[in-house]
């Protein structure tokens, strides 16, 4: 019995190595979700930029996050970074601007289906859940569609000493959009990544004309196409800053869901 186990373990390792050789590094990288820092670090006020957009772009063409000093919501779509500022203005950013927290992957559609008339964010999430083979791996999610309603938020750049995110969102800007086309860009993360990330759905919105967007708090979709990218590898780039080293993570990690889903506060 013990010998069988050893043999099967060796086989798995061999297959893995053969897979790397056959498919090469770029294929493996396309399946990876690359994350800058820890979401709970952002929650605790670590808003200093860690990695440039140019660097992040090397790891993916699709994702979300925020910018240095928490300056708005980030959407990466088709390899272009868009910033939704707290005044609602959307602009393209690139190059040396840094992000304190970002998620990116090279988006390849693995699962695709249509969605119609989901009246709120929760029912849309439940609809998508039915198409997922498991809840135990991350998925990148792209939804191109017509929306009856989008409620989104953005946050303003902060200055030191940085307040916690739970304090910042008390003054967040809320945007409400009606009857517009656009794309939801984001991820569904497994429960076991609580703290490092946020379990469940995290979507940002960008209108088709690239003039409106934000972190999605509520939505009603009229019709759209849902594209899912299955993630096979999760990479976290951990900050080397003394601010990050000094953070205390033993507190309540469940605060994340309160902050990220805050509607009116
Ligand atoms: Zn967000």
């Amino acid at each position: 019995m013990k010998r069988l186990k050893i043999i099967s373990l060796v086989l798995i390792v061999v297959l893995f190595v053969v897979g790397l050789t056959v498919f090469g590094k770029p294929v493996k990288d396309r399946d990876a979700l690359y994350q800058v820092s820890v979401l709970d670090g952002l929650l605790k006020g670590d808003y200093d930029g860690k990695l440039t957009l140019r660097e992040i772009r090397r790891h993916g063409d699709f994702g979300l996050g925020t910018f240095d000093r928490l300056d708005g919501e980030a959407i990466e779509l088709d390899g272009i970074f868009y910033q939704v500022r707290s005044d609602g203005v959307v602009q393209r950013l690139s190059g040396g601007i840094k992000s304190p927290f970002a998620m990116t992957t090279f988006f390849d559609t693995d699962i695709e289906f249509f969605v119609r008339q989901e009246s709120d964010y929760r029912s849309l999430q439940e609809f998508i859940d039915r198409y997922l083979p498991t809840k135990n791996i991350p998925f990148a999610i792209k939804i191109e569609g017509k929306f009856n309603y989008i409620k989104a938020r953005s946050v303003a750049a902060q200055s030191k000493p940085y307040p916690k995110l739970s304090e910042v969102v008390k003054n967040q800007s809320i945007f409400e959009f009606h009857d517009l086309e656009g794309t939801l860009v984001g991820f569904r993360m497994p429960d076991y990544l609580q703290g490092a990330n946020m379990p469940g759905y995290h979507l940002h919105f960008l209108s088709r004309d690239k003039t409106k967007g934000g972190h999605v708090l509520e939505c009603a979709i009229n019709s759209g196409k849902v594209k899912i990218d299955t993630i096979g590898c999760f990479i976290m780039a951990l900050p080397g800053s003394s601010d990050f080293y000094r953070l205390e993570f033993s507190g309540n990690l469940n605060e994340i869901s309160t902050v990220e889903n805050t509607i009116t506060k």
Side-chain angles (χ1 to χ4, degrees):
M1 196 66 187
K2 205 164 190 178
R3 179 179 276 180
L4 262 179
K5 268 187 182 170
I6 291 168
I7 290 168
S8 62
L9 184 68
V10 170
L11 272 178
I12 289 164
V13 172
V14 169
L15 282 174
F16 183 60
V17 173
V18 169
L20 283 182
T21 313
V22 170
F23 297 111
K25 197 162 173 277
V27 175
K28 181 177 76 93
D29 284 353
R30 288 195 72 86
D31 243 4
L33 168 56
Y34 186 91
Q35 179 175 308
V36 177
S37 193
V38 176
L39 188 57
D40 201 46
L42 194 76
L43 192 92
K44 292 176 186 303
D46 187 19
Y47 306 142
D48 278 343
K50 311 279 186 284
L51 222 60
T52 65
L53 300 185
R54 188 183 298 116
E55 186 73 27
I56 294 165
R57 176 66 183 84
R58 286 180 49 215
H59 299 280
D61 58 10
F62 176 94
L64 54 71
T66 184
F67 301 97
D68 187 39
R69 298 181 297 125
L70 200 69
D71 191 8
E73 306 284 349
I75 297 135
E76 187 190 15
L77 184 59
D78 300 323
I80 298 167
F81 289 94
Y82 299 89
Q83 177 197 35
V84 181
R85 297 191 328 209
S86 63
D87 62 2
V89 171
V90 179
Q91 59 183 7
R92 284 171 66 158
L93 293 180
S94 61
I97 291 162
K98 288 184 174 178
S99 169
F101 177 84
M103 301 165 67
T104 190
T105 188
F106 289 102
F107 196 94
D108 300 306
T109 305
D110 295 316
I111 305 166
E112 189 173 338
F113 51 91
F114 287 95
V115 57
R116 282 190 178 80
Q117 301 290 348
E118 293 296 339
S119 57
D120 60 35
Y121 197 13
R122 178 171 288 260
S123 65
L124 176 62
Q125 294 176 13
E126 288 169 356
F127 180 79
I128 297 169
D129 274 349
R130 294 203 282 271
Y131 287 84
L132 302 179
T134 176
K135 292 181 176 178
N136 295 337
I137 60 168
F139 295 96
I141 294 166
K142 184 194 289 186
I143 306 171
E144 296 156 334
K146 292 179 182 173
F147 297 85
N148 296 329
Y149 177 65
I150 295 274
K151 185 181 216 173
R153 74 111 188 270
S154 185
V155 283
Q158 303 296 305
S159 43
K160 285 186 170 178
Y162 292 135
K164 286 185 173 181
L165 196 55
S166 56
E167 290 300 314
V168 174
V169 295
K170 288 177 182 171
N171 300 310
Q172 67 188 2
S173 305
I174 301 272
F175 313 117
E176 291 185 288
F177 311 122
H178 297 270
D179 302 319
L180 78 175
E181 291 183 43
T183 307
L184 295 176
V185 171
F187 300 88
R188 187 196 193 286
M189 302 299 280
D191 287 344
Y192 58 78
L193 286 174
Q194 175 83 48
N197 199 287
M198 176 179 67
Y201 288 83
H202 183 181
L203 299 175
H204 287 188
F205 175 75
L206 184 66
S207 65
R208 189 182 162 130
D209 63 5
K210 316 286 196 283
T211 63
K212 303 176 185 73
H215 168 107
V216 174
L217 298 172
E218 188 51 81
C219 71
I221 192 165
N222 180 296
S223 62
K225 190 186 283 181
V226 182
K227 295 177 178 177
I228 308 279
D229 183 10
T230 302
I231 302 293
C233 177
F234 182 52
I235 300 166
M236 280 170 60
L238 299 174
S241 63
S242 55
D243 282 352
F244 182 79
Y245 283 6
R246 279 199 295 268
L247 289 178
E248 179 55 62
F249 285 104
S250 59
N252 179 18
L253 296 175
N254 293 321
E255 213 181 333
I256 284 177
S257 68
T258 311
V259 170
E260 289 298 323
N261 298 311
T262 296
I263 294 175
T264 53
K265 282 179 184 171

